Amino acid sequence: MTINHLQAACPENGTEVKKNSDEQASGHAFGECHAHVFMNGTDYRLAVSRNEGHPDIGWIRHVFGEYKKRGITFVREGGDHYGVSLAAKKLAPEFGITYISPVFGIFREGDYGRVVGNSFRTMKEYAELVRRVKREGGDFIKIMTTGIMDFKTVGGLTGTALPRAEIREMVHIAHEEGFRVMSHTNGAQAVIDAVEAGVDSVEHGNFQNEESLACLAESSAVYVPTVVTVRNLIGDGRFDDTVIRGIWEGIQENLQIGRRLGVQYALGSDAGAYRVLHGQGVEDEFRAFREAFPEDPDLIRDLQAGEQKIRSWISG
């Protein structure tokens, strides 16, 4: 996503994106720090049927074509259990894209995560999944420590969070195998638990408070909030717009609190999620950040720094 290309795009909801000299001079293309190549942004069941049994190579090429035409040369995958990310990793160099992947997410059996990963029941099984990621050429480990937003109420989450001690053991095992850890986590206490366990990035992080954001700021973890998974739902009609706008207002407020406290952000849109299209998603994500920080002269520099930290996760 070149900055000039983004500025030429018309912002949603009539909000004007600030065109300051830093952006016009930068010419930088942000990478996409959270994507699911197998998903299509519109129909999850279709995405599954397209890739079940054998990855759809034509679809993967289409996705990488969308990134290439926008000048996006870095993509960090969020995982799947259809082998799509493994196939994508082989194809990415043809498009000039550096692509890193956890192969699949790892979640506790019975909890959220089946949409993108494989489950464990014991720490022994978890450790074997970590070793499997290594055998299959994964670049990092992705763990799922909570559910997702239920979109029925402001603050509502599905499922229960993993216990703090369990998260610590999961992170320890992954680090011992030489991996960084990407943590799908929502809720203030769950973020604190993940960060104190030593995760290297927090994904989503919805419904935080000042204490959890301060914990993030004091850590070395990068925060990838994927805010357009909410923002792009406004006016869609799938959920109650009053609830969606309430969630969005809370996200904007927390972005600002986190920035004030010194949280290190990186742009990732959860591309492939509903109404978050590959390529366009990270453009939307930057637009959302610029709306939250219209007068911030250091925003681009600091987002670049967060992305650079994630780029260092490349294995080997």
Side-chain angles (χ1 to χ4, degrees):
M1 174 190 62
T2 64
I3 297 300
N4 288 340
H5 174 78
L6 186 145
Q7 290 176 324
C10 179
E12 293 180 6
N13 303 325
T15 304
E16 183 179 357
V17 176
K18 184 177 185 292
K19 297 182 179 182
N20 64 34
S21 58
D22 280 350
E23 291 171 310
Q24 292 170 336
S26 168
H28 175 78
F30 286 111
E32 169 61 87
C33 290
H34 191 127
H36 293 276
V37 168
F38 90 96
M39 294 185 189
N40 58 27
T42 57
D43 188 332
Y44 175 75
R45 288 187 178 86
L46 176 61
V48 170
S49 66
R50 172 186 281 140
N51 292 287
E52 233 172 355
H54 191 276
D56 186 334
I57 301 302
W59 171 253
I60 297 170
R61 290 186 179 280
H62 165 76
V63 168
F64 283 152
E66 291 298 309
Y67 287 118
K68 183 176 181 179
K69 76 183 183 182
R70 290 171 169 82
I72 298 167
T73 61
F74 175 73
V75 176
R76 183 178 62 149
E77 170 68 42
D80 68 271
H81 55 212
Y82 304 106
V84 175
S85 63
L86 286 173
K89 191 168 184 178
K90 294 177 182 177
L91 290 171
E94 294 181 23
F95 294 83
I97 292 172
T98 298
Y99 174 87
I100 64 174
S101 170
V103 185
F104 49 80
I106 303 177
F107 67 99
R108 174 172 279 286
E109 182 67 31
D111 290 341
Y112 174 80
R114 191 167 299 280
V115 293
V116 296
N118 293 304
S119 66
F120 69 95
R121 290 167 295 180
T122 66
M123 278 298 114
K124 183 177 180 180
E125 290 181 353
Y126 169 79
E128 177 51 37
L129 287 172
V130 170
R131 289 190 289 270
R132 177 179 161 190
V133 170
K134 179 170 282 189
R135 290 194 302 270
E136 295 186 2
D139 299 288
F140 57 92
I141 299 299
K142 180 184 180 182
I143 63 174
M144 324 288 280
T145 74
T146 69
I148 59 174
M149 292 181 287
D150 64 18
F151 294 113
K152 297 175 183 176
T153 60
V154 177
L157 295 171
T158 65
T160 57
L162 292 181
R164 177 194 298 252
E166 190 165 314
I167 300 168
R168 283 185 179 276
E169 183 63 14
M170 292 167 72
V171 174
H172 173 72
I173 290 169
H175 282 171
E176 285 293 297
E177 291 290 338
F179 286 116
R180 305 284 177 81
V181 178
M182 171 198 225
S183 183
H184 164 113
T185 304
N186 288 297
Q189 186 58 52
V191 167
I192 292 171
D193 291 346
V195 170
E196 291 185 345
V199 301
D200 299 284
S201 79
V202 171
E203 314 299 304
H204 317 306
N206 294 292
F207 308 135
Q208 290 196 66
N209 57 28
E210 188 156 349
E211 181 184 3
S212 63
L213 290 163
C215 186
L216 260 171
E218 292 165 5
S219 76
S220 61
V222 180
Y223 179 27
V224 184
T226 67
V227 302
V228 292
T229 55
V230 174
R231 182 183 182 274
N232 285 7
L233 292 177
I234 296 173
D236 175 69
R238 188 174 190 176
F239 302 102
D240 184 336
D241 237 24
T242 302
V243 173
I244 299 301
R245 289 184 183 278
I247 295 172
W248 173 236
E249 288 168 6
I251 287 172
Q252 287 183 304
E253 181 180 357
N254 278 338
L255 283 178
Q256 292 161 355
I257 293 171
R259 184 101 173 107
R260 173 172 55 81
L261 292 172
V263 170
Q264 184 163 49
Y265 293 108
L267 292 183
S269 69
D270 208 6
Y274 183 64
R275 287 192 63 93
V276 185
L277 303 180
H278 289 287
Q280 181 183 323
V282 72
E283 297 178 356
D284 292 347
E285 190 79 5
F286 178 79
R287 184 179 294 115
F289 265 80
R290 181 48 86 195
E291 287 177 11
F293 307 105
E295 305 295 334
D296 190 332
D298 299 323
L299 180 63
I300 292 173
R301 180 201 68 189
D302 292 344
L303 290 172
Q304 289 173 344
E307 178 185 319
Q308 195 58 43
K309 197 167 185 178
I310 287 175
R311 281 175 177 259
S312 73
W313 290 21
I314 298 171
S315 63

